[in-house]
Amino acid sequence: MSLAAEAFVSQMAAAEPWPESATLYQPLKEDQILLSDCASSLAVQAYLRMCGLPVQVVCRANAEYMSPSGKIPFIHVGNQVVSELGPIVQFTKAKGHSLSDGLDDVQRAEMKAYMELVNNMLLTAELFIQWCDDATAAEISRPRYSSPYSWPLSNVLAYHKQWEVKRKMNAIGWGGKTLAQVYEDVSQCCQALSQRLGTQPFFFNKQPTELDALVFGHLFTILTTRLTSTELAERIKSYGNLLSFCRRIEQSYFEDKDKSS
Amino acid sequence: MGTVHARSLDPLPMKGPEFGVQADDIEAADIEQEPKQEVLENKDVVVQQVHIDGLGRTKEDLLTYEIAEVFRAKNLIDVMRRSHEARQKLLRLGIFRKVEVVIDTSRGEDALPNGLDVTFEVTELRRMTGSYNTMVGNNEGSMVLGLKLPNVFGRAEKLTFQFSYGTKETSYGLSLFKPQPGHFERNISINMYKVTGQFPWSSLRETDRGVSAEISFPVWKTSQTLKWEGVWRELGCLARTASFAIREESGHSLKSSLSHSMVIDSRNSSILPRKGGLLKIHQELAGFTGGDASFLKEDFEIQLNKTLFWDSVLSASLWGGLLLPIGERPTSIADRFYLGGPTSIRGFSMYSMGPQSEGDYLGGEGYWAGGLHLYTPLPFRPGRGGFGDLFRTHFFLNAGNLCNLNYGEGPYAHLKKLAECLRWSYGVGLVLRLGNIARLELNYCIPMGVQSGDRICDGVQFGAGIRFL
């Protein structure tokens, strides 16, 4: 399909309202999903709930390969498939749902900068701990990642994924880092977020934005996921306002909905 | 008595065992000396010695099986016949470039007056042969490098390696073939490969990496093959616009399967036969030896040929297959059957019928297809006895169906489902035979019984392939 035709199709799709049948795909919740994927998936779910857009979560063992970008999660809305938080935010915006419309240009730039910080620091740290820390990789990541497959394919896929992540880490200069350095990076990132949040309910005062969804997705997942060491969660727990931020979002966007449904 | 040269044929094409011995080429093997038979037949002879000249790498013990029959000859005609058979056997091994037979009277101390010496003068193939060619197709160009070691360990073992480097995909295959000495039909082969295929009719890309081991042997008039295959299959969407049904099939799976196939082939040629029949049965059980995919697949092919008046041939064929999933998991798109196109049901686009989703064809779990052809020589027979014999005109009638089966309904319901919504087509066309392995067709087709969703090719359709309905 040509670019023009593709643009036309997405325009047409934008005109259609959000359907009830929208679906979010992620790997198997119990046996397969890893910390970083779970965090990204939760961030998208939080964002859609903040927008008030209903979405049904479906677990598939091959979610990673179904995704057009190879990243988790992705949503299937009408006949459109969109993956990752950034493009999903763009997609909902085209349909007339946006959380950041009330922000001015400076605030929007600030929001983008903090989102980049979370993606570059927290997400990368999660990937580093999952795949570059040998204990975590051997005990948690490889067995969980390969759980849907039978031997010897399970080993091939798990080691291939690990090799891929390590290569990426080397490319962005994280290859030589130690675990302690990564924890220190996470602390710094959390400190920056904590300072920005201050005593406000959300990062930009009264109204949640996609930054709130992204931070919540990562922090909440780190706090509730059991790893080989509790160090990562401990680092976050030292920032009280981030903890209450997570609790607040969980209560207002997840618990109420669950009760009413 | 002088020497008698029994050399009458060019060597067989060195295609190896894949295509079998071509009956067409051997038909001329009857000895030409029929009229002289009465004179020579009474003359008792003893074959005293058989020499093989020109051996290098080849181990002699392999050849003793092939030439043993020559010693049993009782008269000269017999010697010639058996020598000729031995020569065919030697050529079939695929390790000699040429074999010449020289029959002479025995010489030396213990030579009998009626003793004969038979000498096979052989020329071995090179230790390694290579080839390279370029291919264009499927919106991609590729370069294919082939390497063949026809006689690796000296006992007709064949090692082949093929590497294809394309603008989009890279494929390779390594195969080792070993026949049992003296019984060429009994052989084992071990293969390792990576193949990538793009299937635009399904918006699907498939990459297979696999190993397989198979053993072939003849039983009575049949040829049997047992095979184990382990394949790591990676499916993906060909484009972002692929339907969601295809997207759901994406990802990795491991298939480990045991399969058995049986072939009875009494046709005089595999392409454009004049007489004889073919029966092929293939069954595959996956999942029993591990892997993610588990199913039972049954597949058959029947073809009958009969020569009618004026060199025309009536040919009827029937194909059918069934795929039964075992356990909870539905069947994978990579295992299902596809139908339609210039090599099966003409008048429809390639593999473009049956279950589909948003224009992507998903294949079916059950199918049948039948074809009736009347082949005739070209009108007014231009180029008779030469180039023109490679061509035929044909009138055809194809019919078939492809669908998914719901396995709760029982066999009668399945048959009913395959019989309703019948797709069929008829037409006329020109067939060109390419060697003994492939054929080209140019047809004018009229598709009938088109169901909604089927993609048709009304009018002129071109087809090339190895297997034809």
Side-chain angles (χ1 to χ4, degrees):
Chain A
M1 200 184 283
S2 72
L3 270 178
E6 222 162 287
F8 178 73
V9 167
S10 56
Q11 286 242 311
M12 291 293 291
E16 291 167 15
W18 187 269
E20 282 293 312
S21 61
T23 335
L24 179 141
Y25 287 85
Q26 64 170 38
L28 305 181
K29 211 175 172 116
E30 296 299 319
D31 310 319
Q32 190 194 10
I33 199 166
L34 297 178
L35 177 64
S36 58
D37 290 342
C38 190
S40 303
S41 175
L42 188 62
V44 171
Q45 287 177 51
Y47 173 75
L48 292 175
R49 282 180 185 231
M50 286 168 179
C51 290
L53 299 170
V55 71
Q56 192 193 349
V57 179
V58 172
C59 296
R60 287 285 170 87
N62 60 345
E64 181 182 345
Y65 305 102
M66 284 169 70
S67 165
S69 68
K71 299 258 172 61
I72 283 161
F74 72 98
I75 55 169
H76 181 212
V77 180
N79 55 2
Q80 297 281 99
V81 180
V82 192
S83 66
E84 298 178 79
L85 183 62
I88 288 172
V89 169
Q90 293 295 321
F91 179 73
T92 56
K93 197 171 181 177
K95 284 196 183 295
H97 303 272
S98 175
L99 296 177
S100 51
D101 273 352
L103 305 183
D104 59 35
D105 284 347
V106 178
Q107 284 175 316
R108 206 168 287 149
E110 204 184 350
M111 182 188 76
K112 290 226 169 95
Y114 275 97
M115 286 181 76
E116 277 308 299
L117 175 75
V118 173
N119 280 332
N120 288 343
M121 282 298 177
L122 282 184
L123 182 64
T124 315
E126 285 162 7
L127 284 171
F128 185 92
I129 292 164
Q130 269 169 206
W131 294 109
C132 300
D133 173 37
D134 289 334
T136 315
E139 279 176 44
I140 298 173
S141 309
R142 282 202 304 264
R144 278 182 71 88
Y145 183 80
S146 62
S147 64
Y149 304 101
S150 45
W151 186 89
L153 181 58
S154 51
N155 286 359
V156 173
L157 291 179
Y159 280 100
H160 183 254
K161 178 76 182 177
Q162 185 171 19
W163 175 80
E164 233 174 29
V165 174
K166 279 188 171 169
R167 209 175 57 155
K168 187 188 162 194
M169 290 295 156
N170 286 332
I172 59 170
W174 281 50
K177 282 199 181 182
T178 62
L179 212 50
Q181 280 174 310
V182 171
Y183 286 138
E184 198 44 49
D185 284 345
V186 171
S187 282
Q188 276 182 13
C189 174
C190 288
Q191 196 180 355
L193 290 172
S194 173
Q195 273 175 7
R196 178 68 186 82
L197 184 64
T199 53
Q200 304 173 98
F202 298 107
F203 279 93
F204 293 94
N205 210 357
K206 294 275 162 49
Q207 207 177 346
T209 58
E210 46 263 39
L211 173 63
D212 297 274
L214 183 66
V215 173
F216 167 76
H218 282 278
L219 296 188
F220 188 83
T221 310
I222 291 172
L223 289 169
T224 53
T225 307
R226 203 177 57 83
L227 290 173
T228 47
S229 126
T230 57
E231 181 67 26
L232 192 60
E234 292 301 326
R235 295 282 171 146
I236 293 169
K237 278 180 188 159
S238 51
Y239 300 95
N241 61 342
L242 290 181
L243 285 183
S244 49
F245 166 81
C246 285
R247 210 164 298 132
R248 199 157 50 240
I249 292 192
E250 190 199 1
Q251 278 165 1
S252 44
Y253 292 103
F254 285 83
E255 285 182 358
D256 288 350
K257 301 261 168 95
D258 288 342
K259 271 175 205 160
S260 64
S261 64
Chain B
M1 184 193 275
T3 53
V4 180
H5 283 268
R7 186 170 186 276
S8 62
L9 284 175
D10 293 328
L12 283 176
M14 289 305 158
K15 284 189 218 112
E18 302 92 302
F19 308 115
V21 177
Q22 302 307 330
D24 254 11
D25 297 336
I26 294 180
E27 256 182 339
D30 305 318
I31 305 294
E32 323 82 48
Q33 283 89 349
E34 291 287 332
K36 295 182 193 167
Q37 202 161 328
E38 283 147 85
V39 187
L40 294 170
E41 208 153 56
N42 303 330
K43 198 161 184 173
D44 283 350
V45 293
V46 174
V47 177
Q48 283 195 291
Q49 288 187 343
V50 177
H51 300 284
I52 301 176
D53 287 350
L55 288 186
R57 296 189 308 282
T58 316
K59 304 273 190 291
E60 269 186 50
D61 60 310
L62 171 77
L63 304 180
T64 50
Y65 291 104
E66 311 293 342
I67 57 170
E69 284 292 307
V70 179
F71 284 106
R72 304 226 171 90
K74 292 285 182 289
N75 56 54
L76 188 57
I77 291 298
D78 213 15
V79 172
M80 287 172 66
R81 191 172 55 79
R82 287 175 195 255
S83 302
H84 187 82
E85 281 167 8
R87 177 176 173 274
Q88 295 292 354
K89 281 181 166 179
L90 290 176
L91 281 174
R92 195 182 50 173
L93 291 174
I95 56 177
F96 299 121
R97 187 195 309 275
K98 80 184 175 189
V99 177
E100 288 187 33
V101 187
V102 179
I103 303 173
D104 201 352
T105 47
S106 291
R107 291 192 188 123
E109 298 250 315
D110 43 2
L112 298 170
N114 60 345
L116 288 179
D117 283 357
V118 180
T119 308
F120 291 90
E121 289 170 0
V122 301
T123 316
E124 288 184 342
L125 282 176
R126 277 190 208 136
R127 182 173 286 277
M128 190 190 285
T129 56
S131 66
Y132 95 88
N133 33 38
T134 48
M135 293 200 306
V136 182
N138 258 352
N139 295 326
E140 115 163 276
S142 57
M143 184 177 73
V144 184
L145 294 171
L147 215 58
K148 184 148 84 173
L149 285 81
N151 197 6
V152 200
F153 306 115
R155 290 195 174 86
E157 300 88 351
K158 191 165 68 174
L159 188 74
T160 40
F161 178 72
Q162 215 175 44
F163 180 82
S164 145
Y165 181 82
T167 47
K168 288 180 190 160
E169 317 284 0
T170 310
S171 306
Y172 58 78
L174 180 70
S175 143
L176 177 69
F177 167 86
K178 177 166 173 48
Q180 183 187 345
H183 300 273
F184 191 72
E185 294 83 6
R186 284 188 212 161
N187 52 57
I188 55 175
S189 71
I190 296 168
N191 306 293
M192 210 183 89
Y193 58 85
K194 180 196 158 195
V195 222
T196 304
Q198 297 193 347
F199 309 117
W201 46 85
S202 306
S203 301
L204 186 76
R205 165 187 287 125
E206 180 176 348
T207 304
D208 286 359
R209 296 173 182 87
V211 284
S212 71
E214 62 180 273
I215 172 162
S216 300
F217 52 92
V219 173
W220 187 53
K221 283 180 178 171
T222 69
S223 146
Q224 313 268 340
T225 306
L226 296 174
K227 181 175 178 183
W228 170 82
E229 189 175 34
V231 205
W232 162 21
R233 302 182 296 186
E234 186 182 347
L235 301 178
C237 298
L238 204 52
R240 230 189 135 91
T241 47
S243 70
F244 201 72
I246 299 296
R247 204 165 275 288
E248 283 182 303
E249 300 267 2
S250 303
H252 300 266
S253 68
L254 189 69
K255 179 181 93 170
S256 167
S257 72
L258 293 170
S259 62
H260 164 249
S261 59
M262 188 198 79
V263 181
I264 305 177
D265 192 352
S266 66
R267 298 174 301 172
N268 66 322
S269 160
S270 55
I271 304 288
L272 297 176
R274 287 193 303 273
K275 61 184 182 201
L278 167 78
L279 171 67
K280 225 186 228 179
I281 295 173
H282 180 256
Q283 41 212 341
E284 183 176 4
L285 176 67
F288 185 66
T289 46
D292 307 317
S294 52
F295 59 82
L296 178 68
K297 198 171 178 176
E298 296 281 344
D299 203 0
F300 74 88
E301 181 179 344
I302 301 171
Q303 192 190 83
L304 293 170
N305 301 287
K306 190 162 170 50
T307 305
L308 302 175
F309 47 90
W310 299 327
D311 277 348
S312 58
V313 176
L314 185 71
S315 167
S317 25
L318 181 68
W319 296 355
L322 213 56
L323 174 68
L324 299 145
I326 299 173
E328 303 281 288
R329 229 178 235 252
T331 52
S332 160
I333 191 167
D335 297 316
R336 284 187 221 127
F337 297 108
Y338 293 85
L339 200 59
T343 58
S344 56
I345 299 187
R346 293 160 183 82
F348 289 80
S349 294
M350 196 72 177
Y351 299 142
S352 299
M353 64 164 69
Q356 57 127 340
S357 159
E358 297 168 39
D360 292 335
Y361 294 88
L362 304 175
E365 289 167 347
Y367 85 101
W368 73 270
L372 204 60
H373 290 260
L374 180 69
Y375 295 101
T376 60
L378 291 181
F380 314 116
R381 313 197 73 166
R384 187 174 185 173
F387 187 63
D389 283 355
L390 297 175
F391 290 90
R392 293 278 191 287
T393 45
H394 74 151
F395 303 90
F396 61 86
L397 175 68
N398 294 154
N401 205 352
L402 173 79
C403 63
N404 278 323
L405 302 170
N406 183 350
Y407 288 102
E409 292 169 22
Y412 181 72
H414 294 171
L415 287 176
K416 209 175 138 195
K417 208 163 179 184
L418 281 170
E420 67 194 19
C421 316
L422 185 76
R423 278 109 169 161
W424 61 285
S425 67
Y426 62 93
V428 59
L430 200 64
V431 182
L432 167 64
R433 169 182 142 172
L434 283 181
N436 226 333
I437 50 168
R439 73 187 216 187
L440 303 179
E441 279 188 16
L442 189 65
N443 297 322
Y444 189 87
C445 322
I446 298 149
M448 305 293 282
V450 180
Q451 306 296 320
S452 72
D454 292 353
R455 216 172 283 155
I456 57 165
C457 182
D458 199 353
V460 177
Q461 188 176 33
F462 176 75
I466 297 171
R467 185 173 173 248
F468 279 86
L469 181 75

